[in-house]
Amino acid sequence: MDQAEHLDELLICRLDFAHKTVEPGTLVIFGASGDLTVRKLIPALYHLFVANQLPDPFRIVGFARRPKPDADWREELKEGIEKFSRTKKVDPEKWPAFAEKVTYCQGEFSDPGAYQKLEKLLSSFGNEALRRNLLFYLSTSPSQFAEVVEHLHESGLLAKADSGKFCQRIVVEKPFGHDLASAQKLNQELTRFAYEKQIYRIDHYLGKETVQNILMFRFSNSIFEQLWNRQAVDHVQITVSESLGVGSRGGYYEEAGALRDMVQNHLLQVLALVSMEPPVTLEAEAIRDEKVKLLKSIRPLLASQISSAVVRGQYIEGKIDGQPRIAYRREQKVAPNSKVETFVAARLLIDNWRWSGVPFYLRTGKSLPLSASEVRVQFRPTPNVLFAAQCGPKLDANAITLRLQPNEGISLRFNGKIPGTSLQLRPVRMHFSYDAEFGAYTPEAYERLLLEALAGDATLFIRRDEVEAAWTIVDPIREAWSGLELTEKEFYLAGSWGPKAADELLAARGHTWRNPQPIT
Ligand code: BG6
């Protein structure tokens, strides 16, 4: 370690001294034969195990309909790690100890007998914490959430209790409801059998390092925070673009569309973190209070405003990286005349002192030219004298870009003189890259989220009022689109940055999208 690195080490500010410890217990995954388990949950648990971050003792039980011997399930999981995990490797020396923790329990979600069977299995675990500290992960179809929780309660596995030596918690995957009314209903159903404190609603974006860093970046650096308001900021662009189409998820996507799949959760969460006020403490409730306050100050869109503030799109045949891509309507399990949006761009306004009048542009879509997520805070241009008077729009306004993924980093754009005898300016970039600074450590979002849920820390999960506030924002948009045929202008070529109308949305206020660039 050189001297500069040593000084940086000394300056590390540790904030997790009060972090709750992860107690021994059992994780029960409902819907264990689904994609999420094999692609995300088990790889995350395996990495936590290898990094000695799982409690000891610890067990994983997979609950699903199909009959399967433990050995077969373990083999499937191992293949999943090799195929989908961030390391794509299973250590032959460590695997047996991990595999031993994993058990399969076959049962129908609607069958009370299956929960008795689960109870029996848990009772066979010698340690009391393994039998009573339980984390139930609901990775089932959303229509089964309430039913599973009710059965868990009736079978005595889930006690409604907010304190005690042992505790049971529920993790609920998205989508949480399909509109405000269904989310409220689900909240009511779940809170019949568990306190809000026991419910962990997942949005995996909150588990991403770069998303967590938004608050650290804003509130631990006075130079940026002073500029983070309507006096200095012209507008903000949040882009989550994906180059993949819907692939095999057509059935789900036909019900969801980009608005429910991405905007209601991931984009609004990022928006809330970028624009919320500083919380009074770093505790879960303080942070979540500020997020809810922010979501509630987003100006509701009236039906008559939707067509000028929100753009939808659907991809048609095109090419990405030279490879032909089919139209959404030709994807598996998609109706040939589907009206479902695969792209959304929206202009939202926040009615509070900090942001009044500053447009926040949100954009997400499938089959776009590349997969990248960015927040771009675009500052106001300089006054129209000196350089700006002569260069006009060529004098780039300053911007901070938080690159959330991939090639995680933060860059600041400003203008600099091109060296030489002539007087010429051009934008230059100051860049911080996670990889260059901290090495290639990029844990999967689910690693962090599972650990937090096991520890009982709700900071990175969505509270009841938060999920409801988010539906309140998107519901009017969905209602305005419902039944409306897509017009020619709403289709976009796979491999393009969305329909033309998305550009017009910004042009109406003199703005242009800054598309994420591939960073090599
Ligand atoms: C999921 C959506 O929540 O997020 C998917 O259902 C989307 O449609 C995915 O592809 C994007 O997540 P990430 O982590 O790859 O950006």
Side-chain angles (χ1 to χ4, degrees):
M1 192 184 290
D2 69 22
Q3 207 182 358
E5 281 173 354
H6 183 66
L7 277 177
D8 286 347
E9 266 304 290
L10 289 176
L11 285 173
I12 292 177
C13 164
R14 297 185 200 280
L15 295 159
D16 49 7
F17 46 85
H19 202 263
K20 299 180 177 131
T21 47
V22 189
E23 301 292 335
T26 302
L27 167 71
V28 184
I29 307 172
F30 287 87
S33 47
D35 249 18
L36 185 80
T37 308
V38 74
R39 283 174 184 259
K40 299 283 182 192
L41 301 181
I42 295 294
L45 289 161
Y46 174 71
H47 287 133
L48 290 172
F49 170 76
V50 170
N52 283 327
Q53 289 187 299
L54 284 183
D56 190 21
F58 184 70
R59 291 292 169 83
I60 302 163
V61 176
F63 186 107
R65 285 186 214 108
R66 277 172 241 163
K68 205 175 287 181
D70 283 347
D72 291 10
W73 194 46
R74 290 173 183 163
E75 203 41 46
E76 272 174 35
L77 300 179
K78 188 168 169 222
E79 282 166 21
I81 299 172
E82 284 163 345
K83 198 158 159 203
F84 305 115
S85 81
R86 65 179 161 90
T87 56
K88 306 223 165 6
K89 265 196 241 119
V90 173
D91 180 339
E93 301 214 333
K94 303 223 159 117
W95 175 253
F98 179 77
E100 198 165 84
K101 298 182 184 303
V102 179
T103 316
Y104 190 79
C105 177
Q106 187 272 330
E108 290 288 335
F109 299 137
S110 58
D111 171 20
Y115 297 81
Q116 298 309 327
K117 194 162 132 194
L118 175 63
E119 204 269 331
K120 227 166 132 193
L121 172 68
L122 293 170
S123 307
S124 71
F125 296 162
N127 184 301
E128 195 178 9
L130 291 180
R131 302 196 298 264
R132 299 188 53 202
N133 266 339
L134 304 173
L135 183 67
F136 299 111
Y137 199 111
L138 307 187
S139 170
T140 66
S141 126
S143 59
Q144 291 160 322
F145 291 162
E147 182 181 30
V148 172
V149 170
E150 182 168 0
H151 283 302
L152 284 172
H153 182 74
E154 277 166 3
S155 61
L157 289 168
L158 166 67
K160 184 169 180 175
D162 62 357
S163 60
K165 188 164 171 221
F166 298 108
C167 76
Q168 294 93 48
R169 304 188 182 103
I170 309 161
V171 179
V172 193
E173 257 301 327
K174 77 174 249 278
F176 195 91
H178 51 90
D179 57 11
L180 176 62
S182 57
Q184 283 171 329
K185 183 163 174 266
L186 182 55
N187 276 327
Q188 271 160 15
E189 285 167 343
L190 296 184
T191 47
R192 276 174 63 205
F193 308 110
Y195 285 110
E196 172 62 25
K197 255 180 98 169
Q198 295 174 273
I199 304 172
Y200 290 69
R201 297 173 194 79
I202 278 217
D203 181 323
H204 79 279
Y205 265 56
L206 297 183
K208 293 182 190 274
E209 277 293 334
T210 45
V211 174
Q212 290 167 40
N213 190 43
I214 296 174
L215 290 193
M216 311 295 147
F217 174 74
R218 287 188 53 201
F219 300 130
S220 68
N221 295 298
S222 63
I223 54 171
F224 303 120
E225 186 50 23
Q226 286 185 33
L227 299 174
W228 222 255
N229 54 48
R230 71 196 160 93
Q231 272 84 28
V233 174
D234 186 63
H235 69 275
V236 177
Q237 301 186 7
I238 301 177
T239 300
V240 176
S241 70
E242 296 184 277
S243 60
L244 290 178
V246 294
S248 58
R249 293 172 75 225
Y252 154 77
Y253 206 81
E254 280 283 274
E255 295 294 316
L259 191 66
R260 284 184 173 125
D261 186 44
M262 300 293 289
V263 180
Q264 189 272 344
N265 34 73
H266 309 326
L267 276 94
L268 286 179
Q269 283 297 321
V270 172
L271 167 65
L273 292 169
V274 167
S275 54
M276 67 186 243
E277 292 301 315
V280 280
T281 67
L282 286 177
E283 275 162 24
E285 294 322 317
I287 295 177
R288 302 199 295 179
D289 284 347
E290 290 305 331
K291 278 173 34 197
V292 173
K293 236 166 78 189
L294 189 282
L295 291 174
K296 286 188 173 168
S297 45
I298 293 179
R299 187 181 300 174
L301 289 169
L302 304 175
S304 58
Q305 296 168 330
I306 304 237
S307 60
S308 58
V310 193
V311 169
R312 63 176 179 169
Q314 190 190 82
Y315 61 85
I316 54 173
E317 214 170 77
K319 276 191 174 169
I320 299 182
D321 291 336
Q323 299 301 311
R325 289 297 187 84
I326 57 168
Y328 174 69
R329 288 179 173 181
R330 292 189 48 218
E331 300 276 14
Q332 292 164 43
K333 301 195 195 141
V334 168
N337 56 352
S338 171
K339 297 193 272 286
V340 167
E341 76 288 351
T342 58
F343 176 97
V344 178
R347 180 181 59 236
L348 297 178
L349 291 170
I350 299 174
D351 284 331
N352 66 13
W353 276 74
R354 186 190 283 262
W355 295 117
S356 178
V358 177
F360 280 74
Y361 297 109
L362 270 47
R363 163 174 73 157
T364 185
K366 303 252 184 223
S367 290
L368 298 184
L370 85 157
S371 291
S373 305
E374 276 185 8
V375 177
R376 184 180 175 102
V377 178
Q378 185 77 38
F379 292 98
R380 287 186 184 281
T382 51
N384 207 14
V385 288
L386 297 180
F387 308 109
Q390 295 189 49
C391 305
K394 281 200 162 166
L395 187 73
D396 208 38
N398 301 151
I400 289 180
T401 302
L402 311 179
R403 175 83 162 200
L404 305 180
Q405 63 184 23
N407 314 104
E408 293 78 0
I410 298 178
S411 47
L412 173 65
R413 259 172 92 95
F414 53 95
N415 295 302
K417 179 182 175 303
I418 302 177
T421 47
S422 60
L423 188 54
Q424 296 182 60
L425 288 175
R426 78 161 170 79
V428 294
R429 201 171 69 122
M430 241 158 74
H431 186 64
F432 146 66
S433 137
Y434 276 76
D435 268 13
E437 186 70 29
F438 300 120
Y441 169 73
T442 32
E444 280 272 348
Y446 278 94
E447 293 175 32
R448 178 75 195 268
L449 293 173
L450 282 166
L451 215 50
E452 297 292 298
L454 287 166
D457 187 328
T459 316
L460 302 179
F461 296 84
I462 315 289
R463 203 167 65 186
R464 177 182 187 154
D465 48 354
E466 208 174 336
V467 80
E468 293 181 3
W471 280 119
T472 309
I473 299 163
V474 304
D475 272 3
I477 307 175
R478 201 184 38 79
E479 278 157 25
W481 288 345
S482 125
L484 271 192
E485 290 299 329
L486 288 164
T487 62
E488 262 322 292
K489 265 180 83 173
E490 291 174 315
F491 291 101
Y492 62 96
L493 290 176
S496 71
W497 281 103
K500 269 220 179 70
D503 296 330
E504 291 163 11
L505 178 74
L506 270 70
R509 303 231 173 164
H511 300 143
T512 39
W513 287 111
R514 297 301 187 103
N515 297 327
Q517 299 299 313
I519 301 176
T520 45

